[in-house]
Amino acid sequence: PELFLCGYDCEASKLREVALTLDSAVLTRIGECAAGTGTCAAVSFAEQRGKMLFNTVCVWNCRGELVHTYRKVNLWGAWERSVFEAGPVPGGVCFDLETRSGLVVKTGVLVCFDIEFPEGARQIAQAGAELLLLPTALDLPDKHDHRVVPARAVENHLFILYANLEGRAVRVPGQDLTAFAGGSRVLGPDGGDLQQAGEFTGGALLAARLRLGGYQASEDRNPYLPDLRSKAALGHYASLGLNA
């Protein structure tokens, strides 16, 4: 989930105390664990870069190599904007994620509020991504996100691994949180759930087999990306800065 290593409901002063740099021993150890188990890992944390603080996700492949670093672009609410710097734009990058089987999965990362803007997921999909990693700290009043995420999956033909915090939130000055909404899920490119957790599970491990290339019928029925490219080539979306 979002800010997993430090907690989302954390005072700004404490976030600075526990913030990590990319060469921190904790992150090095995560890479070692990924290599030792042949497991890919994605972890969200507060990153210190000079005097700036970022809401960051690092991704390691099955060899324990750090293959991607993403910094949240769309900061939500006054508290986030007062604590963190926004990540660089464009933030949507597709990278190769090597798995233990030898399969390489084209992957992208967004964080929480980023997904509520269609442009980020679309940018990642247009770069060729098959999988989107989405750590989140969604609170109960904003459960509409649970409707947004399936739409992003189907309109971009993406698998999405959506990991959300759950349980009661600690009261923090400047935050208006009571509890996190849970509902972590694994979605297919047709927007359907392959696995889903409840709101309050006490912690759940979701396991699903991703059939890459197994949703061609869904993509053929609703060819959003090919249609977008063909229309953009004709200048239909020129006002949005889109081209072929």
Side-chain angles (χ1 to χ4, degrees):
E2 184 176 8
L3 296 178
F4 174 74
L5 290 184
C6 55
Y8 184 91
D9 44 350
C10 183
E11 294 184 18
S13 59
K14 293 191 179 299
L15 276 178
R16 292 195 174 277
E17 292 177 10
V18 300
L20 304 174
T21 58
L22 293 186
D23 59 355
S24 294
V26 172
L27 300 184
T28 299
R29 181 58 180 151
I30 292 172
E32 291 171 350
C33 289
T37 58
T39 303
C40 300
V43 177
S44 178
F45 60 97
E47 179 198 2
Q48 186 80 48
R49 299 188 76 197
K51 295 182 178 181
M52 297 184 295
L53 211 60
F54 290 91
N55 188 331
T56 298
V57 178
C58 281
V59 183
W60 293 263
N61 65 16
C62 66
R63 301 177 187 275
E65 298 166 337
L66 179 59
V67 292
H68 188 65
T69 301
Y70 174 79
R71 298 174 178 93
K72 186 175 182 179
V73 172
N74 297 288
L75 301 176
W76 178 76
W79 180 81
E80 281 193 20
R81 292 192 292 270
S82 70
V83 173
F84 296 105
E85 299 290 331
V89 179
V93 176
C94 176
F95 59 96
D96 290 340
L97 184 60
E98 183 183 358
T99 65
R100 182 169 50 189
S101 68
L103 184 69
V104 176
V105 183
K106 298 288 186 182
T107 305
V109 180
L110 294 174
V111 176
C112 200
F113 196 43
D114 287 329
I115 199 65
E116 299 191 33
F117 298 84
E119 295 81 5
R122 177 55 52 84
Q123 183 181 33
I124 287 170
Q126 287 185 305
E130 303 163 285
L131 172 65
L132 175 62
L133 307 179
L134 183 59
T136 306
L138 184 73
D139 64 336
L140 281 174
D142 292 308
K143 284 176 61 177
H144 62 270
D145 217 19
H146 289 173
R147 298 190 295 273
V148 170
V149 176
R152 296 291 175 265
V154 70
E155 71 192 7
N156 293 297
H157 307 311
L158 288 169
F159 288 94
I160 298 181
L161 304 188
Y162 172 79
N164 189 33
L165 291 171
E166 65 169 50
R168 182 177 298 176
V170 176
R171 302 295 291 182
V172 172
Q175 289 186 355
D176 184 22
L177 301 173
T178 56
F180 298 103
S184 297
R185 60 212 300 193
V186 181
L187 298 108
D190 60 353
D193 286 318
L194 301 178
Q195 287 287 349
Q196 183 174 9
E199 284 188 4
F200 302 107
T201 67
L205 176 64
L206 301 181
R209 185 179 295 275
L210 308 186
R211 294 188 297 113
L212 301 179
Y215 287 79
Q216 194 58 50
S218 173
E219 296 176 22
D220 290 344
R221 183 175 179 83
N222 295 294
Y224 298 116
L225 296 178
D227 277 8
L228 175 65
R229 285 190 288 268
S230 65
K231 296 300 188 297
L234 296 173
H236 283 242
Y237 304 111
S239 64
L240 299 177
L242 298 179
N243 54 53

PDB file of all heavy atoms in Angstrom, residues 3 22 43-47 54-58 69-72 84 111:
ATOM      1  N   LEU A   3       2.882   4.413   1.017  1.00  0.00           N
ATOM      2  CA  LEU A   3       3.727   4.746   2.172  1.00  0.00           C
ATOM      3  C   LEU A   3       3.791   3.578   3.168  1.00  0.00           C
ATOM      4  O   LEU A   3       3.775   3.760   4.377  1.00  0.00           O
ATOM      5  CB  LEU A   3       3.234   6.026   2.853  1.00  0.00           C
ATOM      6  CG  LEU A   3       3.311   7.294   1.992  1.00  0.00           C
ATOM      7  CD1 LEU A   3       2.755   8.489   2.749  1.00  0.00           C
ATOM      8  CD2 LEU A   3       4.736   7.575   1.539  1.00  0.00           C
ATOM      9  N   LEU A  22      17.590   6.475  -1.568  1.00  0.00           N
ATOM     10  CA  LEU A  22      17.598   5.272  -2.388  1.00  0.00           C
ATOM     11  C   LEU A  22      18.741   4.321  -2.043  1.00  0.00           C
ATOM     12  O   LEU A  22      18.693   3.138  -2.409  1.00  0.00           O
ATOM     13  CB  LEU A  22      17.654   5.649  -3.871  1.00  0.00           C
ATOM     14  CG  LEU A  22      16.413   6.358  -4.427  1.00  0.00           C
ATOM     15  CD1 LEU A  22      16.542   6.545  -5.931  1.00  0.00           C
ATOM     16  CD2 LEU A  22      15.136   5.597  -4.102  1.00  0.00           C
ATOM     17  N   VAL A  43       7.649  -1.477  -3.295  1.00  0.00           N
ATOM     18  CA  VAL A  43       7.467  -0.950  -1.945  1.00  0.00           C
ATOM     19  C   VAL A  43       7.350   0.570  -1.999  1.00  0.00           C
ATOM     20  O   VAL A  43       8.115   1.247  -2.690  1.00  0.00           O
ATOM     21  CB  VAL A  43       8.646  -1.364  -1.028  1.00  0.00           C
ATOM     22  CG1 VAL A  43       8.488  -0.742   0.347  1.00  0.00           C
ATOM     23  CG2 VAL A  43       8.724  -2.876  -0.914  1.00  0.00           C
ATOM     24  N   SER A  44       6.376   1.086  -1.255  1.00  0.00           N
ATOM     25  CA  SER A  44       6.112   2.523  -1.201  1.00  0.00           C
ATOM     26  C   SER A  44       6.633   3.093   0.115  1.00  0.00           C
ATOM     27  O   SER A  44       6.476   2.478   1.167  1.00  0.00           O
ATOM     28  CB  SER A  44       4.597   2.763  -1.328  1.00  0.00           C
ATOM     29  OG  SER A  44       4.293   4.134  -1.230  1.00  0.00           O
ATOM     30  N   PHE A  45       7.223   4.279   0.047  1.00  0.00           N
ATOM     31  CA  PHE A  45       7.841   4.877   1.231  1.00  0.00           C
ATOM     32  C   PHE A  45       8.025   6.372   1.019  1.00  0.00           C
ATOM     33  O   PHE A  45       7.852   6.893  -0.088  1.00  0.00           O
ATOM     34  CB  PHE A  45       9.195   4.222   1.509  1.00  0.00           C
ATOM     35  CG  PHE A  45      10.193   4.369   0.372  1.00  0.00           C
ATOM     36  CD1 PHE A  45      11.151   5.365   0.394  1.00  0.00           C
ATOM     37  CD2 PHE A  45      10.156   3.515  -0.723  1.00  0.00           C
ATOM     38  CE1 PHE A  45      12.067   5.519  -0.655  1.00  0.00           C
ATOM     39  CE2 PHE A  45      11.055   3.640  -1.772  1.00  0.00           C
ATOM     40  CZ  PHE A  45      12.007   4.651  -1.744  1.00  0.00           C
ATOM     41  N   ALA A  46       8.361   7.078   2.099  1.00  0.00           N
ATOM     42  CA  ALA A  46       8.719   8.493   2.013  1.00  0.00           C
ATOM     43  C   ALA A  46      10.205   8.590   1.673  1.00  0.00           C
ATOM     44  O   ALA A  46      11.040   8.041   2.387  1.00  0.00           O
ATOM     45  CB  ALA A  46       8.421   9.197   3.329  1.00  0.00           C
ATOM     46  N   GLU A  47      10.511   9.286   0.586  1.00  0.00           N
ATOM     47  CA  GLU A  47      11.893   9.393   0.117  1.00  0.00           C
ATOM     48  C   GLU A  47      12.440  10.790   0.371  1.00  0.00           C
ATOM     49  O   GLU A  47      11.819  11.792   0.004  1.00  0.00           O
ATOM     50  CB  GLU A  47      11.972   9.090  -1.383  1.00  0.00           C
ATOM     51  CG  GLU A  47      13.389   9.200  -1.936  1.00  0.00           C
ATOM     52  CD  GLU A  47      13.432   9.333  -3.448  1.00  0.00           C
ATOM     53  OE1 GLU A  47      12.354   9.381  -4.079  1.00  0.00           O
ATOM     54  OE2 GLU A  47      14.553   9.394  -4.001  1.00  0.00           O
ATOM     55  N   PHE A  54       9.479  13.009  -1.093  1.00  0.00           N
ATOM     56  CA  PHE A  54       8.641  12.475  -2.174  1.00  0.00           C
ATOM     57  C   PHE A  54       7.894  11.235  -1.688  1.00  0.00           C
ATOM     58  O   PHE A  54       8.366  10.492  -0.825  1.00  0.00           O
ATOM     59  CB  PHE A  54       9.489  12.096  -3.397  1.00  0.00           C
ATOM     60  CG  PHE A  54      10.071  13.261  -4.125  1.00  0.00           C
ATOM     61  CD1 PHE A  54      11.323  13.750  -3.788  1.00  0.00           C
ATOM     62  CD2 PHE A  54       9.367  13.875  -5.156  1.00  0.00           C
ATOM     63  CE1 PHE A  54      11.872  14.835  -4.463  1.00  0.00           C
ATOM     64  CE2 PHE A  54       9.907  14.954  -5.834  1.00  0.00           C
ATOM     65  CZ  PHE A  54      11.155  15.440  -5.487  1.00  0.00           C
ATOM     66  N   ASN A  55       6.740  11.032  -2.266  1.00  0.00           N
ATOM     67  CA  ASN A  55       5.937   9.824  -2.059  1.00  0.00           C
ATOM     68  C   ASN A  55       6.347   8.846  -3.163  1.00  0.00           C
ATOM     69  O   ASN A  55       5.935   8.976  -4.310  1.00  0.00           O
ATOM     70  CB  ASN A  55       4.456  10.199  -2.150  1.00  0.00           C
ATOM     71  CG  ASN A  55       3.532   9.075  -1.757  1.00  0.00           C
ATOM     72  OD1 ASN A  55       3.860   7.905  -1.906  1.00  0.00           O
ATOM     73  ND2 ASN A  55       2.343   9.426  -1.290  1.00  0.00           N
ATOM     74  N   THR A  56       7.170   7.876  -2.824  1.00  0.00           N
ATOM     75  CA  THR A  56       7.949   7.120  -3.809  1.00  0.00           C
ATOM     76  C   THR A  56       7.646   5.633  -3.763  1.00  0.00           C
ATOM     77  O   THR A  56       7.334   5.080  -2.707  1.00  0.00           O
ATOM     78  CB  THR A  56       9.450   7.373  -3.566  1.00  0.00           C
ATOM     79  OG1 THR A  56       9.723   8.764  -3.747  1.00  0.00           O
ATOM     80  CG2 THR A  56      10.319   6.561  -4.511  1.00  0.00           C
ATOM     81  N   VAL A  57       7.753   5.002  -4.920  1.00  0.00           N
ATOM     82  CA  VAL A  57       7.665   3.542  -5.031  1.00  0.00           C
ATOM     83  C   VAL A  57       8.912   3.047  -5.751  1.00  0.00           C
ATOM     84  O   VAL A  57       9.277   3.576  -6.807  1.00  0.00           O
ATOM     85  CB  VAL A  57       6.426   3.097  -5.824  1.00  0.00           C
ATOM     86  CG1 VAL A  57       6.384   1.572  -5.957  1.00  0.00           C
ATOM     87  CG2 VAL A  57       5.149   3.599  -5.160  1.00  0.00           C
ATOM     88  N   CYS A  58       9.559   2.031  -5.181  1.00  0.00           N
ATOM     89  CA  CYS A  58      10.668   1.360  -5.854  1.00  0.00           C
ATOM     90  C   CYS A  58      10.240  -0.054  -6.232  1.00  0.00           C
ATOM     91  O   CYS A  58       9.492  -0.704  -5.493  1.00  0.00           O
ATOM     92  CB  CYS A  58      11.897   1.294  -4.942  1.00  0.00           C
ATOM     93  SG  CYS A  58      12.829   2.840  -4.862  1.00  0.00           S
ATOM     94  N   THR A  69      11.940   3.527 -10.269  1.00  0.00           N
ATOM     95  CA  THR A  69      11.577   4.399  -9.156  1.00  0.00           C
ATOM     96  C   THR A  69      10.535   5.384  -9.650  1.00  0.00           C
ATOM     97  O   THR A  69      10.757   6.086 -10.640  1.00  0.00           O
ATOM     98  CB  THR A  69      12.807   5.162  -8.622  1.00  0.00           C
ATOM     99  OG1 THR A  69      13.792   4.225  -8.182  1.00  0.00           O
ATOM    100  CG2 THR A  69      12.416   6.059  -7.454  1.00  0.00           C
ATOM    101  N   TYR A  70       9.398   5.403  -8.976  1.00  0.00           N
ATOM    102  CA  TYR A  70       8.307   6.308  -9.369  1.00  0.00           C
ATOM    103  C   TYR A  70       7.960   7.217  -8.194  1.00  0.00           C
ATOM    104  O   TYR A  70       7.847   6.757  -7.049  1.00  0.00           O
ATOM    105  CB  TYR A  70       7.060   5.513  -9.772  1.00  0.00           C
ATOM    106  CG  TYR A  70       5.866   6.401 -10.056  1.00  0.00           C
ATOM    107  CD1 TYR A  70       5.751   7.069 -11.273  1.00  0.00           C
ATOM    108  CD2 TYR A  70       4.878   6.605  -9.097  1.00  0.00           C
ATOM    109  CE1 TYR A  70       4.676   7.909 -11.528  1.00  0.00           C
ATOM    110  CE2 TYR A  70       3.798   7.441  -9.341  1.00  0.00           C
ATOM    111  CZ  TYR A  70       3.710   8.089 -10.559  1.00  0.00           C
ATOM    112  OH  TYR A  70       2.658   8.929 -10.811  1.00  0.00           O
ATOM    113  N   ARG A  71       7.773   8.487  -8.470  1.00  0.00           N
ATOM    114  CA  ARG A  71       7.400   9.466  -7.450  1.00  0.00           C
ATOM    115  C   ARG A  71       6.020  10.026  -7.792  1.00  0.00           C
ATOM    116  O   ARG A  71       5.804  10.510  -8.904  1.00  0.00           O
ATOM    117  CB  ARG A  71       8.462  10.571  -7.371  1.00  0.00           C
ATOM    118  CG  ARG A  71       9.830  10.015  -6.971  1.00  0.00           C
ATOM    119  CD  ARG A  71      10.952  11.029  -7.015  1.00  0.00           C
ATOM    120  NE  ARG A  71      12.204  10.397  -6.564  1.00  0.00           N
ATOM    121  CZ  ARG A  71      13.090   9.831  -7.386  1.00  0.00           C
ATOM    122  NH1 ARG A  71      12.892   9.848  -8.710  1.00  0.00           N
ATOM    123  NH2 ARG A  71      14.166   9.251  -6.899  1.00  0.00           N
ATOM    124  N   LYS A  72       5.129   9.950  -6.836  1.00  0.00           N
ATOM    125  CA  LYS A  72       3.724  10.312  -7.047  1.00  0.00           C
ATOM    126  C   LYS A  72       3.601  11.713  -7.646  1.00  0.00           C
ATOM    127  O   LYS A  72       4.171  12.682  -7.133  1.00  0.00           O
ATOM    128  CB  LYS A  72       2.971  10.228  -5.717  1.00  0.00           C
ATOM    129  CG  LYS A  72       1.461  10.447  -5.828  1.00  0.00           C
ATOM    130  CD  LYS A  72       0.804  10.230  -4.469  1.00  0.00           C
ATOM    131  CE  LYS A  72      -0.697  10.382  -4.534  1.00  0.00           C
ATOM    132  NZ  LYS A  72      -1.342  10.148  -3.212  1.00  0.00           N
ATOM    133  N   PHE A  84       4.803  16.769   0.715  1.00  0.00           N
ATOM    134  CA  PHE A  84       5.565  16.167  -0.374  1.00  0.00           C
ATOM    135  C   PHE A  84       5.723  17.102  -1.559  1.00  0.00           C
ATOM    136  O   PHE A  84       4.898  17.994  -1.782  1.00  0.00           O
ATOM    137  CB  PHE A  84       4.870  14.883  -0.863  1.00  0.00           C
ATOM    138  CG  PHE A  84       4.794  13.796   0.154  1.00  0.00           C
ATOM    139  CD1 PHE A  84       3.599  13.512   0.796  1.00  0.00           C
ATOM    140  CD2 PHE A  84       5.912  13.039   0.473  1.00  0.00           C
ATOM    141  CE1 PHE A  84       3.513  12.502   1.730  1.00  0.00           C
ATOM    142  CE2 PHE A  84       5.847  12.027   1.414  1.00  0.00           C
ATOM    143  CZ  PHE A  84       4.641  11.759   2.047  1.00  0.00           C
ATOM    144  N   VAL A 111       0.380   5.896  -8.108  1.00  0.00           N
ATOM    145  CA  VAL A 111       0.102   5.864  -6.674  1.00  0.00           C
ATOM    146  C   VAL A 111      -1.234   6.547  -6.392  1.00  0.00           C
ATOM    147  O   VAL A 111      -1.420   7.725  -6.719  1.00  0.00           O
ATOM    148  CB  VAL A 111       1.223   6.551  -5.859  1.00  0.00           C
ATOM    149  CG1 VAL A 111       0.858   6.581  -4.373  1.00  0.00           C
ATOM    150  CG2 VAL A 111       2.554   5.843  -6.058  1.00  0.00           C
TER     151      VAL A 111
END
